[in-house]
Amino acid sequence: MHTIALVGNPNAGKSTLFNQLTGLSQKVGNFHGVTIDKHTGICNISQDLQVEILDLPGAYSIYPKSPEEKIVLDTLLSPNAPKIAVVVADASNLQRHLLLYTQIHDLGIPTILALNMMDMAKKTHIHIDIPALSKMLGIKIIAMQAKKNEGIAQLKEEIAKMLYSAKKPDFTPYLQVDFWAKDAINDTKRAFGIDNSYLAFQYWLQGEKSNFLSPENTKKIVQIQEKYPKNTLEFQAKEATARYEITNDFLKNTLKKPSNAYSSNTLLLDKWFLHGFFGYCTFLMVLLIIFQSIFAFAEYPMQAIEGIFAGLQHGVKAILPEGVFTDLLADGVLAGLGGVLVFIPQIALLFGALAVLEESGYMARVVFLMDKIMRNFGLNGRSVVPLVSGVACAVPAIMATRTIDNWKERMITIFVTPLMSCSARLPVYTILIALVVPDMWIFGIFHAKALVLLGMYLLGVVMTLISAFILHLFLKNTQKSYLFLELPSYQIPLFKNILYIIWEKIRIFVLESGKIILAISIILWVLANYGDTAKMEQAETQLKAQAKTEKWTKSKTETAISTAKLEHSYAGMFGKTIEPLIKPLGYDWKIGIALLTSFAAREVFVGTLATIYSVGESDTQIETLRQKMKAEINPETQKPRYTLAVGISLMVFYAFAMQCMSTIAVVYRETQSYQWTIAQLMYLSVLAYLGALLAFNLLK
């Protein structure tokens, strides 16, 4: 199957075009040799032609400044380069985008230029003579508005025409580089059997750092470089200057735009969103609206999912014969999965809202705005992107720190990123907030639950900055760093793209978390049902006698017996062992078990409690997890176990604790240091314990 690569500058609309071409036939993997996400999908060009679409990371040129841009270089220089490159360019900023296009063209890859965002160009009174420009460049240019599906059919038609054509397209490079390094280029051509001078030039200039060359071929490149020493920066500057002169000639008579083509609406909005005071207030208000909507709109679908799983548990126990398998399926598998799948509506709302902010262009403003604060705490301007990404997941966020060149600043960013409240904490926060926070409105417009959820996210941000500042005092850094960020024009998000993003996040949440939760639920069910048999039988006998004497109801008797058996199970014994350590935080041994199992992934906390509270439950006692937790009584105080103090204490613990094996693994992989990884784990664990202890004692 032929591979078609989408290439372009950041914010050119590649992802939108990719979604339009591939729909739901998308896959996410890793690029060869790196752990950066690779997005591919199948596109039906015609009835009898399918191609693979590869969405490459955004890049300004083939001279990489980050690991993402290096992927573009490796892909385009590889002997297995894409069959066709579709260069996606922002029509409202064409001059800058043509630099990358001319480089790809000169590599000899058949190229289509897709002028996206034609509507934005029109709004800013930019006129492009596409037929004349197409003739000057000698290639096909497609005018597009990818988000409105305009130009997609013409693009597919041109791809099919290029693939079906037996005639090799005419090729004349825009820039002749032979005279810059004639001998080095000729030696590279002979060594690798290639006839393209610009391709040979790039092999000689950057080949030793590639991922696609074998060690033997890398040695060849190094030998040629030793024979003909190079200065990459000098050649890069010379080439950029020459190419801009070429593209200026192309656009001299084909592009007309006013002196200030920047949208007046964009300028007006930026005055507000980037304001030193109102910008931050607006961002906080946006977050509050998002969190308030999570509670307001997710409640009914959550109740429906809870009802479905409660019905499934009841049905399994009613249909299947009594026995170990039935109990495992109902109280282990279904209870564990139901305790996590119930949060799908909240995950969908959160990531749908974040996708809207990203697609609209507002998130780039947030990054720019927050950069001003970050610098005061010793963080690199580029740290903003990983930290903001950490709200979704710490694993890709930590990998994103590779764009930070300075070692000390990168280490600080890696160290503090887990403090940003990731999506895995959301199930823990929401179920505890629903249990312990009163259902009330503040000033008639702010819901108390939404304010507490916002407070938990802000707590993570504040502790991130404090930790970064403290670490900065120990890791001195004199090198100045800068954030270069393009602020895209504001756009109305495409509904289909938002749905794609929501679907992808839900799919990852269910599949990745589901596998862990299923395994832990089964193991936990076994540990909670088996243990010291003699003590279990003795406790059951004593309780039955007590129930007969005190005339307990059948339900109360069954609950007391199941609780006693659970205490003497392997899981119960383990929880009792660590209970003295966590008792000062207001936790019991059941919560202790959930704390330990959630080390695999934070959201497992909910699934663990669902399994624990379901063990020993009869078919007449099927209730939702929230009902069971609400009914849980502290035997010492005879009051609800989950009070405001306990709930806030648990949330603070999860806000700070590094309860995620995947994060620990990726920190070690990125730092290659056991000492750094252990130090981070210990610091966050101690911080979580002390923070939870303080919260409990202040509120109890």
Side-chain angles (χ1 to χ4, degrees), residues 107-155:
L107 289 173
I109 301 173
T111 308
I112 300 171
L113 182 59
L115 290 188
N116 194 27
M117 304 182 188
M118 291 298 293
D119 54 335
M120 298 302 298
K122 186 177 180 181
K123 284 181 181 178
T124 51
H125 306 290
I126 294 174
H127 174 72
I128 303 171
D129 188 341
I130 292 179
L133 182 60
S134 179
K135 185 176 180 181
M136 293 182 71
L137 294 176
I139 55 126
K140 184 69 175 180
I141 297 178
I142 307 293
M144 304 188 69
Q145 292 184 54
K147 68 177 183 178
K148 295 183 180 179
N149 209 29
E150 295 179 9
I152 303 295
Q154 293 89 330
L155 178 61

Side-chain angles (χ1 to χ4, degrees), residues 55 79 90 161 208 253 273 299 347 396 400 446 449 513 538 560 640:
D55 185 16
D90 180 356
K161 190 183 299 182
E208 84 280 5
N253 298 315
F273 290 142
E299 183 63 26
I347 296 294
F446 303 123
K449 296 181 188 294
S513 300
Q538 182 182 356

Side-chain angles (χ1 to χ4, degrees), residues 350-351 354 383-401 413 416-425 457 461 464 602 663:
L350 175 64
F351 282 102
L354 292 177
S383 301
V384 179
V385 176
L387 292 177
V388 172
S389 302
V391 175
C393 179
V395 172
I398 288 171
M399 290 192 291
T401 61
T413 308
V416 302
T417 293
L419 286 167
M420 299 293 289
S421 288
C422 65
S423 60
R425 292 177 171 102
Y457 276 82
V461 172
T464 296
R602 294 178 182 92
T663 303

Side-chain angles (χ1 to χ4, degrees), residues 60 189 191 244 255 448 452 486 518 532 540 562 578 618 674:
Y60 293 103
K189 283 182 176 181
Y244 275 122
L255 175 68
V452 172
E486 178 185 0
L518 182 60
D532 192 327
E540 183 176 3
S562 64
I578 66 170
S618 69
Y674 283 114

Side-chain angles (χ1 to χ4, degrees), residues 77-79 107 184-204 221:
L77 264 60
S78 168
L107 289 173
I185 290 173
N186 288 335
D187 278 12
T188 306
K189 283 182 176 181
R190 286 191 292 269
F192 291 92
I194 55 180
D195 57 5
N196 183 297
S197 294
Y198 188 62
L199 181 61
F201 178 69
Q202 292 300 332
Y203 266 51
W204 168 65
I221 289 292

Side-chain angles (χ1 to χ4, degrees), residues 201-247:
F201 178 69
Q202 292 300 332
Y203 266 51
W204 168 65
L205 213 57
Q206 305 190 83
E208 84 280 5
K209 297 179 182 178
S210 67
N211 284 326
F212 65 85
L213 289 179
S214 65
E216 181 182 348
N217 283 333
T218 302
K219 287 181 180 178
K220 290 182 182 179
I221 289 292
V222 172
Q223 289 172 356
I224 296 173
Q225 290 175 346
E226 289 174 350
K227 185 177 180 181
Y228 306 103
K230 63 186 177 70
N231 187 328
T232 306
L233 290 177
E234 179 185 343
F235 280 115
Q236 181 182 348
K238 187 184 297 186
E239 180 184 337
T241 302
R243 288 193 181 278
Y244 275 122
E245 290 177 357
I246 293 169
T247 56

